């Protein structure tokens, strides 16, 4: 209503509502190399498959079902959230905006939507947590080659009031990214996106000189330690000795992996292909969701990301059985376009579209969405 009223006065909205216009705004703000990194996804076949899988699902509206009051809230790991929405962990946010993760943290806190702090954040988790008060946040871990370092990151996350740990499994190696290769662009080598390490006592103890005096050595150590491809199900269990927080496995795509995660008692999974950034030619993530939900059979929470661009996509993911959805690139476009206000506006728009779509398909509660809403 505000946007329509502003339109009457001849004012443009703070950020575009159309998602392609928002992305174009971010591109103009960021410049080609940084925007290339944000978009980068091989030849984009997987990113396209993510959209195709969501577009192939169709909602079937029902009429006359009294949707005057609609409930969007959901429970995750003992917290009631205002909507089944989280901000996905996204690294190197300084590429989008100088306030980076701090702007995102403030926007997330203002809406009560959990921010998942990235392992590759531009601002360490402690100042972000401090900016969020009691608002919900989670921490995402890339398991480094040093278990002591992984443990330190997890313990810091618990101390910073995180409600859950997300272990991202799909990035034990960095995917083939021709756009970044052509641009010669890897931000970590410049010391960008390694704030969690630079502030970590275990990491600092591994360096001859403090990162403040020799950032290049810190960046080089980071690239040596970064994510361990020899990680397996057995080693993953060590995390239970480091924390009592719920542990969510991100990057699950095969129903057999979803079943194993539930068999082993992991608390949740994120069905995700990292927004198509890792395996070019991989299957569209939304196409895997229903089979993974079946395999888990209620034994763990199921989250979803990769391709969510608006509220109708959220409705589809929930109808396929997800408990909640992680929003990825769109909030970074908002961050690039207008900082904290941009992130908040993107969250508001997704939730507003979710609410409208829910009502218009004849459903009054996100918890009761199911197959009957899909064509
Ligand atoms: C990511 N993603 C990601 N995931 C993660 O677990 N840790 C991270 O540090 C990052 N960093 C990151 C940077 C950038 C620039 C992007 C675009 C993505 C993946 C992210 O959490 C999520 O899975 C995807 O963004 C979902 O895909 P869409 O919806 O953005 O296409």
């Amino acid at each position: 209503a505000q946007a329509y009223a502003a339109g009457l006065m001849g004012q443009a909205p703070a950020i575009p509502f159309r998602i392609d216009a928002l992305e174009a705004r971010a591109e103009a703000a960021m410049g080609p190399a940084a925007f290339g990194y944000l978009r980068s996804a091989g030849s984009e076949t997987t990113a396209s498959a993510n959209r195709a899988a969501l577009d192939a699902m169709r909602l079937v509206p029902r009429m006359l079902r009294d949707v005057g009051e609609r409930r969007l809230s959901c429970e995750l790991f003992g917290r009631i959230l205002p909507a089944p929405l989280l901000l996905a962990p996204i690294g190197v946010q300084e590429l989008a905006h100088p306030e980076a993760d701090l702007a995102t943290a403030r926007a997330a806190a203002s809406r009560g939507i959990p921010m998942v702090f990235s392992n590759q954040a531009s601002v360490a988790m402690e100042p972000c947590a401090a900016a969020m008060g009691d608002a919900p946040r989670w921490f995402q871990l890339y398991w480094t080659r040093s278990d002591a370092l992984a443990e330190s990151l997890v313990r810091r996350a618990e101390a910073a009031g995180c409600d859950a740990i997300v272990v991202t499994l799909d990035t034990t190696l960095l995917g083939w990214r021709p756009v970044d290769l052509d641009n010669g662009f890897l931000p970590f080598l410049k010391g960008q996106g390694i704030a969690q390490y630079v502030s970590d006592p275990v990491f600092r103890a591994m360096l001859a000189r403090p990162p403040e005096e020799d950032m290049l050595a810190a960046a080089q150590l980071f690239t040596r330690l970064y994510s361990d491809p020899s990680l397996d199900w057995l080693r993953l269990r060590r995390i239970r000795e480091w924390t009592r927080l719920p542990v969510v496995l991100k990057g699950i795509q095969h129903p057999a992996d979803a079943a194993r995660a539930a068999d082993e008692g992991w608390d949740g999974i994120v069905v995700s292909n990292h927004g198509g950034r890792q395996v070019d030619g991989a299957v569209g993530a939304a196409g895997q969701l229903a089979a993974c939900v079946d395999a888990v059979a209620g034994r763990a929470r199921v989250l979803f990301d990769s391709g969510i661009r608006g509220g109708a996509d959220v409705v589809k993911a929930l109808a396929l059985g997800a408990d909640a959805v992680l929003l990825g690139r769109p909030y970074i476009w908002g961050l690039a376009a207008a900082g904290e206000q941009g992130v908040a506006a993107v969250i508001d728009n997704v939730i507003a579209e979710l609410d409208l779509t829910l009502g218009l398909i004849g459903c009054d509660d996100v918890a009761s969405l199911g197959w009957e809403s899909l064509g």
Side-chain angles (χ1 to χ4, degrees), residues 344-358:
V346 170
I347 296 171
D348 289 347
N349 292 347
V350 170
I351 292 178
E353 188 193 348
L354 164 63
D355 179 45
L356 285 176
T357 307
L358 199 67

Side-chain angles (χ1 to χ4, degrees), residues 38 88-89 91 118 140 142 168 250 274-275 277 305-307 309 329:
L38 174 60
S118 165
Q140 172 264 322
Y142 286 134
T168 297
K250 178 169 181 278
H274 214 102
R277 293 166 74 77
D305 76 28
S306 295
R309 295 293 174 267
R329 288 180 179 89

Side-chain angles (χ1 to χ4, degrees), residues 37 40-42 171 174-182 274 277-278:
Y37 179 78
S40 185
T171 311
L174 200 63
W176 183 247
R177 297 182 181 173
V179 175
D180 297 337
L181 290 166
D182 278 344
H274 214 102
R277 293 166 74 77
Q278 285 298 93

Side-chain angles (χ1 to χ4, degrees), residues 194-351:
I194 61 170
Q196 309 290 19
Y197 300 81
V198 165
S199 59
D200 191 277
V202 173
F203 183 80
R204 295 177 75 94
M206 293 178 192
L207 288 164
R209 289 201 291 150
E212 295 75 22
E213 287 172 23
D214 190 353
M215 188 51 93
L216 183 64
Q220 285 168 341
L221 177 63
F222 160 72
T223 51
R224 277 208 302 283
L225 292 172
Y226 179 72
S227 216
D228 191 345
S230 66
L231 182 67
D232 62 10
W233 289 96
L234 189 64
R235 182 148 155 235
L236 191 64
R237 287 188 200 160
R238 291 184 196 166
I239 196 173
R240 294 292 198 199
E241 290 159 24
W242 308 336
T243 182
R244 300 178 71 92
L245 291 176
V247 175
V248 177
L249 307 185
K250 178 169 181 278
I252 299 287
Q253 297 170 67
H254 197 295
D257 285 345
R260 177 145 186 193
D263 291 346
E264 294 203 2
W266 297 104
D267 305 280
I269 62 170
V270 186
V271 176
S272 163
N273 61 23
H274 214 102
R277 293 166 74 77
Q278 285 298 93
V279 179
D280 215 15
V283 64
Q288 301 302 101
L289 179 53
C292 289
V293 168
D294 273 356
V296 165
R299 294 172 294 164
R301 307 312 295 272
V302 179
L303 281 66
F304 172 80
D305 76 28
S306 295
I308 296 288
R309 295 293 174 267
D313 295 330
V314 179
V315 170
K316 290 178 182 179
L318 299 176
L320 287 164
D323 293 303
V325 157
L326 279 67
L327 188 65
R329 288 180 179 89
Y331 84 82
I332 300 296
W333 298 333
L335 178 66
E340 177 187 342
Q341 301 311 323
V343 177
V346 170
I347 296 171
D348 289 347
N349 292 347
V350 170
I351 292 178

Side-chain angles (χ1 to χ4, degrees), residues 86-89 114-121 123-126 136-144 149-168 195-197 200 239 242-243 245-250:
L86 300 90
L87 299 187
M115 173 180 180
V116 185
F117 298 148
S118 165
N119 196 91
Q120 291 327 124
V123 181
M125 60 182 110
E126 289 84 359
R137 60 260 187 175
W138 297 11
F139 173 71
Q140 172 264 322
L141 176 76
Y142 286 134
W143 201 289
T144 71
L149 180 54
E151 174 175 357
S152 176
L153 290 163
V154 168
R155 289 190 186 279
R156 284 171 54 201
E158 191 165 333
C162 293
D163 290 332
I165 305 290
V166 176
V167 185
T168 297
Q196 309 290 19
Y197 300 81
D200 191 277
I239 196 173
W242 308 336
T243 182
L245 291 176
V247 175
V248 177
L249 307 185
K250 178 169 181 278

